[in-house]
């Protein structure tokens, strides 16, 4: 075959593959957008484990009528202007790719209104082709509706897991974000059934209960350590509670859910000698570090990051968790000798 430039819709479907792997990736991108828009309430409706529908409504800043068309273009973002901004980034998004990617592999409808606009606007994108912009009455905020994900890329559909698995992925995702943003009120509906609800009252332990159940949440140890350039806080299980896999180990860096082998190893080292081989803790840790010290632009899905001073960070995780474990560990039993005279 001769070399040729790919047709734009093919190129964008290929690029979308990196951002939108499954329904949970759609939910993640839309949640991040709602959080970046300073929302205090986020409602998520999912049908058929996200294949039929993922809809996220927020009460955030909204998008103006004039900008709505741009929002669904590739590399269109309000969060970054120059490459260097990446190292001062305080938003979860920055690539300007999510909406364009999602629109190229689904039927996407966005309805939005800002505080300063009397009416809202609505746009529909179907498999990458944009419909007309319409004026519409709606409350301040944004509703993003993603229907029939991968309807035009059947090959992708084949890679989706069982509905129950995809549904769990979304439950897990929303619960973790609810935990990371306890001041935001979250509601998640799966096929019209309320699957998760938080009050938004800022109480993390309450949100923790919806993740692990009330009893486990009550027993989780508090981890907290402040150092000049980095801070850690969160929860980790006492030695009596563990799992047979690493799925319940979660790290957030500056409000972003990341997966990082180094952080997990540091955590597991803290549990070394406390847990049997093959057992893993339940952990949710939030790290705050200088945005300059973390590169978030490693992969389009933004879950992988690189640290400028990984050892310092790993050491902090290890020390903080170890301290929590030691503070909890019951004092060794001392047998008091009884003297006979
Ligand atoms: P990014 O988040 O990387 O900027 P997206 O494609 O996810 O890229 O979104 C494009 C732009 O659309 C954002 O920069 C933002 O200005 C706007 N936007 C998307 N979702 C929302 C939302 N829920 N509320 C307000 N603005 C939004
Ligand atoms: Mg985004």
């Amino acid at each position: 075959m001769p070399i040729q430039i790919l047709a734009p819709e093919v190129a964008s479907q290929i690029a979308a593959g990196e951002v939108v792997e499954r329904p949970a990736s759609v939910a993640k991108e839309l949640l991040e957008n709602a959080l970046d828009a300073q929302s205090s309430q986020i409602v998520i409706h999912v049908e058929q484990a996200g294949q039929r529908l993922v809809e996220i409504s927020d009460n955030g800043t909204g998008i103006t009528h004039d900008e709505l068309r741009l929002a669904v273009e590739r590399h269109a973002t309000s969060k970054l202007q120059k490459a260097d901004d990446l190292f001062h980034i305080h938003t979860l998004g920055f690539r300007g790719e999510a909406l364009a990617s999602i629109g190229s592999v689904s039927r996407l409808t966005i309805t939005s209104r800002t505080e300063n606009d009397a009416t809202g606007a609505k746009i529909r994108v179907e498999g990458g082709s944009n419909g007309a912009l319409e004026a519409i009455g709606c409350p301040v905020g944004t509703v993003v509706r993603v229907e029939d994900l991968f309807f035009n890329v059947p090959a992708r559909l084949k890679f989706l897991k069982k509905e129950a698995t995809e549904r769990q992925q979304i439950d897990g995702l929303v619960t973790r974000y609810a935990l990371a943003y306890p001041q935001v009120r979250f509601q998640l509906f799966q096929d019209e059934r309320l699957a998760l609800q938080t009050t938004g009252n800022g109480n993390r332990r309450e949100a923790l209960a919806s993740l692990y159940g009330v009893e486990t949440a009550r027993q989780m140890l508090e981890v907290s350590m402040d150092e000049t350039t980095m801070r850690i806080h969160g929860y980790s299980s006492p030695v009596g509670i563990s799992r047979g896999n690493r799925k319940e180990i979660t790290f957030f860096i500056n409000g972003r859910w990341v997966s990082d082998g180094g952080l997990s190893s540091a955590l597991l080292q803290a549990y070394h000698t406390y847990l049997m081989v093959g057992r893993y803790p339940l952990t949710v840790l939030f790290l705050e570090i200088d945005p300059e010290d973390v590169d978030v632009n490693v992969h389009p899905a933004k879950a992988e990051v690189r640290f400028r001073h990984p050892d310092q960070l790993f050491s902090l995780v290890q020390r903080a968790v170890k301290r929590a474990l030691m503070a909890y560990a019951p004092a060794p039993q001392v047998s008091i000798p009884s003297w006979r005279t």
Side-chain angles (χ1 to χ4, degrees):
M1 206 163 33
I3 297 180
Q4 40 187 314
I5 306 265
L6 291 172
E9 64 278 12
V10 179
S12 77
Q13 278 179 13
I14 291 175
E18 294 187 309
V19 184
V20 189
E21 199 188 328
R22 59 203 309 175
S25 12
V26 171
K28 173 169 178 283
E29 292 296 335
L30 301 185
L31 264 184
E32 290 190 349
N33 281 346
L35 290 165
D36 281 345
Q38 314 291 323
S39 310
S40 62
Q41 280 189 36
I42 300 179
V43 182
I44 303 138
H45 282 273
V46 173
E47 281 173 25
Q48 270 178 32
Q51 251 189 69
R52 225 326 273 140
L53 174 77
V54 177
E55 184 195 82
I56 300 200
S57 319
D58 69 51
N59 65 347
T61 52
I63 308 170
T64 60
H65 190 274
D66 299 341
E67 287 186 329
L68 192 53
R69 194 180 281 287
L70 255 186
V72 297
E73 291 299 322
R74 196 165 292 282
H75 311 303
T77 178
S78 57
K79 303 172 192 174
L80 171 137
Q81 279 187 323
K82 44 189 199 307
D84 194 42
D85 292 346
L86 267 178
F87 294 95
H88 310 280
I89 205 98
H90 289 279
T91 51
L92 299 168
F94 51 82
R95 300 178 60 99
E97 269 190 333
L99 293 180
S101 295
I102 294 168
S104 73
V105 295
S106 71
R107 300 184 224 276
L108 167 72
T109 314
I110 306 177
T111 313
S112 194
R113 178 160 83 86
T114 68
E115 207 176 35
N116 300 325
D117 291 316
T119 54
K122 176 172 162 179
I123 195 167
R124 191 168 160 91
V125 182
E126 234 182 276
S129 61
N130 298 1
L133 204 60
E134 286 171 50
I136 187 170
C138 61
V140 172
T142 305
V143 180
V144 182
R145 206 176 150 82
V146 178
E147 291 168 281
D148 305 328
L149 182 65
F150 301 137
F151 79 94
N152 56 346
V153 249
R156 274 267 156 179
L157 279 177
K158 291 194 198 127
F159 281 91
L160 294 184
K161 304 251 164 59
K162 288 199 306 266
E163 260 194 29
T165 314
E166 296 292 339
R167 200 178 300 119
Q168 274 167 16
Q169 291 271 336
I170 297 178
D171 281 348
L173 172 97
V174 178
T175 319
R176 282 177 178 80
Y177 271 89
L179 206 54
Y181 294 85
Q183 71 288 5
V184 177
R185 186 165 175 241
F186 285 88
Q187 277 186 316
L188 166 67
F189 294 87
Q190 295 266 17
D191 297 314
E192 315 227 325
R193 186 185 54 85
L194 183 65
L196 170 85
Q197 168 153 256
T198 63
T199 56
N201 69 358
N203 186 336
R204 270 222 171 96
R205 229 180 245 274
E206 234 176 73
L208 203 60
S210 53
L211 183 57
Y212 297 130
V214 177
E215 189 44 35
T216 303
R218 200 182 54 76
Q219 293 185 50
M220 295 284 278
L221 308 176
E222 197 146 348
V223 177
S224 176
M225 202 175 260
D226 267 15
E227 297 205 330
T228 40
T229 56
M230 37 183 96
R231 257 157 43 87
I232 184 170
H233 62 119
Y235 300 92
S236 209
S237 53
V239 289
I241 301 177
S242 65
R243 291 280 156 90
N245 58 54
R246 298 168 188 238
K247 285 190 194 147
E248 297 302 339
I249 298 178
T250 306
F251 288 97
F252 275 80
I253 307 272
N254 298 344
R256 178 189 307 284
W257 185 5
V258 303
S259 68
D260 183 83
L263 288 174
S264 300
S265 309
L267 169 77
L268 295 178
Q269 273 179 16
Y271 275 90
H272 185 66
T273 74
Y274 285 98
L275 285 183
M276 282 197 309
V277 176
R279 300 303 298 180
Y280 300 92
L282 286 67
T283 305
V284 192
L285 291 176
F286 303 94
L287 290 131
E288 306 286 336
I289 64 178
D290 188 335
E292 288 215 16
D293 290 339
V294 50
D295 183 354
V296 290
N297 188 30
V298 180
H299 184 270
K302 299 166 292 181
E304 263 172 64
V305 291
R306 270 194 213 111
F307 304 116
R308 196 187 290 190
H309 308 294
D311 294 342
Q312 280 178 23
L313 202 61
F314 300 163
S315 150
L316 176 68
V317 169
Q318 203 179 334
R319 282 178 292 123
V321 174
K322 212 161 194 166
R323 189 169 80 177
L325 279 168
M326 303 223 311
Y328 160 82
Q333 295 268 314
V334 183
S335 60
I336 302 162
S338 54
W339 300 102
R340 260 188 240 152
T341 48

